[in-house]
């Protein structure tokens, strides 16, 4: 089996659907003015269950990023640091496009919008708030942009090291990534906070590992070519579900599972 660009795009599409389900159904406490939705199955909120599982989309995105970046790095002539900085530039150009479109809309049309669980205005014109938002350091303008800071730090701090070690000393890379993950899990770090990078980096590492060892060319995965789409299910469930469950153990809410 070859993990082609087409299959990668399909996997990204599934991750996007999971992301939508997570944002729509996993946070019913965010519904305003007493709004609610009626579960499809009476007495059992299956939508919340699917939405809560949808947070695995972050793991899938990071896995695909690690896999694709290693392949790109291997085929490039750049040092790992320069390659990572080029990827950081590409990421920022995409992020800034959305920032410059949607933040001005919020500033002009949603001036009374407040931060979650706060009376403080979300769309601030303070220079510091604008700079922090523009750099991705702050998720003030969009709470779901916590991913931006984490991914930027990963590209700056971990990606150059991981790409370099993947070719030179894979066992050391495995030890570093596993240690960081275990420390983050034991310490129960806020997975959306500054040190959440140590928790999520394991998925990025797994993508690099699969690409480095060319595991999709193994006989096991080669057989899956007979059953289109199954490999994507395994990608989301087999290789990332364990980290989703561990993330949930850090304090995911299940209050709305039953209604």
């Amino acid at each position: 089996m070859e993990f082609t660009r087409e299959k990668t795009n399909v996997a990204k599409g599934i991750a996007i659907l999971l992301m939508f389900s997570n944002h729509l159904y996993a946070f019913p406490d965010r519904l305003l003015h007493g709004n609610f939705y009626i579960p499809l199955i009476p007495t059992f909120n299956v939508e919340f269950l699917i939405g809560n599982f949808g947070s695995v989309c972050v793991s899938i995105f990071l896995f695909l990023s690690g896999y694709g970046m290693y392949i790109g790095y291997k085929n490039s002539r750049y040092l790992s640091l320069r390659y990572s900085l080029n990827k950081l530039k590409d990421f920022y150009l995409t992020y800034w496009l959305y920032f410059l479109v949607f933040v001005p809309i919020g500033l002009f049309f949603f001036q009374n919008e407040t931060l979650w669980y706060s009376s403080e205005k979300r769309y601030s014109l303070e220079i510091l708030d604008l700079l922090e938002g523009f750099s991705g350091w702050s998720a003030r303008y969009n709470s779901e942009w916590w991913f931006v800071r984490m991914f930027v730090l990963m590209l700056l701090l971990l990606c150059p090291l991981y790409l370099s070690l993947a070719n030179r000393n894979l066992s050391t890379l495995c030890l570093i990534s596993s240690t960081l993950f275990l420390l983050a899990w034991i310490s129960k770090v806020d997975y959306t906070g500054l040190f959440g990078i140590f928790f999520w980096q394991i998925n990025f590492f797994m993508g690099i590992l699969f690409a480095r060892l060319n595991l999709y060319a193994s006989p096991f995965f080669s057989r899956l070519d007979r059953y289109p789409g199954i490999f994507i299910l395994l990608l989301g469930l087999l290789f990332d579900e364990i980290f989703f469950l561990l993330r949930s153990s850090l304090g995911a809410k299940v209050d709305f599972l039953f209604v």
Side-chain angles (χ1 to χ4, degrees):
M1 169 183 286
E2 183 182 358
F3 201 43
T4 62
R5 183 180 296 272
E6 179 183 357
K7 291 178 179 178
T8 301
N9 288 335
V10 173
K12 288 179 181 178
I14 292 176
I16 290 172
L17 292 176
L18 288 170
M19 179 182 67
F20 273 112
S21 70
N22 177 252
H23 291 169
L24 287 173
Y25 298 115
F27 306 99
D29 52 318
R30 293 181 180 178
L31 295 176
L32 302 178
H33 312 301
N35 293 320
F36 63 95
Y37 61 85
I38 300 175
L40 183 65
I41 301 177
T43 73
F44 183 71
N45 196 339
V46 67
E47 288 84 359
F48 174 80
L49 189 64
I50 295 173
N52 198 32
F53 172 76
S55 64
V56 75
C57 67
V58 179
S59 298
I60 295 175
F61 283 133
L62 291 173
F63 179 94
L64 295 174
S65 296
Y67 189 95
M69 284 186 190
Y70 177 80
I71 297 297
Y73 169 66
K74 185 179 66 172
N75 295 330
S76 74
R77 299 179 179 178
Y78 296 143
L79 296 175
S80 59
L81 178 58
R82 182 176 178 184
Y83 181 80
S84 299
L85 291 177
N86 283 338
K87 288 299 179 182
L88 178 63
K89 178 197 67 177
D90 294 339
F91 178 76
Y92 262 131
L93 289 176
T94 302
Y95 169 68
W96 286 334
L97 174 63
Y98 287 97
F99 185 92
L100 293 174
V101 170
F102 289 103
V103 171
I105 291 176
L107 290 170
F108 283 105
F109 298 103
F110 298 95
Q111 298 177 2
N112 295 324
E113 184 72 23
T114 60
L115 297 171
W116 290 117
Y117 317 114
S118 172
S119 60
E120 187 179 355
K121 300 294 183 182
R122 176 177 294 278
Y123 293 101
S124 167
L125 279 173
E126 296 290 334
I127 296 298
L128 182 59
D129 291 331
L130 287 170
L131 290 176
E132 287 184 342
F134 192 71
S135 67
W137 189 257
S138 168
R140 178 191 185 93
Y141 296 126
N142 185 335
S143 300
E144 310 305 338
W145 283 354
W146 63 268
F147 180 87
V148 175
R149 179 176 64 182
M150 184 268 291
F151 196 63
V152 167
L153 289 175
M154 191 169 296
L155 288 176
L156 283 174
L157 303 179
L158 298 182
C159 186
L161 175 64
Y162 282 18
L163 291 178
S164 179
L165 285 177
N167 284 331
R168 299 179 181 179
N169 196 329
L170 189 58
S171 59
T172 299
L173 175 56
C174 292
L175 178 61
I176 291 174
S177 181
S178 300
T179 300
L180 290 177
F181 173 75
L182 289 174
L183 287 175
W185 182 39
I186 294 172
S187 302
K188 293 187 178 296
V189 299
D190 178 4
Y191 65 92
T192 64
L194 181 61
F195 296 103
I197 179 178
F198 299 130
F199 179 83
W200 292 111
Q201 55 77 34
I202 192 77
N203 302 109
F204 186 76
F205 157 73
M206 286 182 64
I208 293 176
L209 181 67
F210 265 63
R212 170 65 175 82
L213 299 179
N214 198 20
L215 292 180
Y216 282 115
S218 66
F220 172 76
F221 284 101
S222 296
R223 293 191 182 95
L224 296 183
D225 271 338
R226 305 173 188 174
Y227 310 99
I230 291 182
F231 79 96
I232 299 174
L233 180 63
L234 288 177
L235 174 66
L237 297 179
L238 183 59
F239 303 116
D240 290 317
E241 173 65 359
I242 182 174
F243 304 112
F244 165 75
L245 293 174
L246 291 174
R247 183 205 63 79
S248 298
S249 73
L250 297 181
K253 297 180 180 179
V254 295
D255 303 346
F256 290 86
L257 183 57
F258 295 94
V259 295

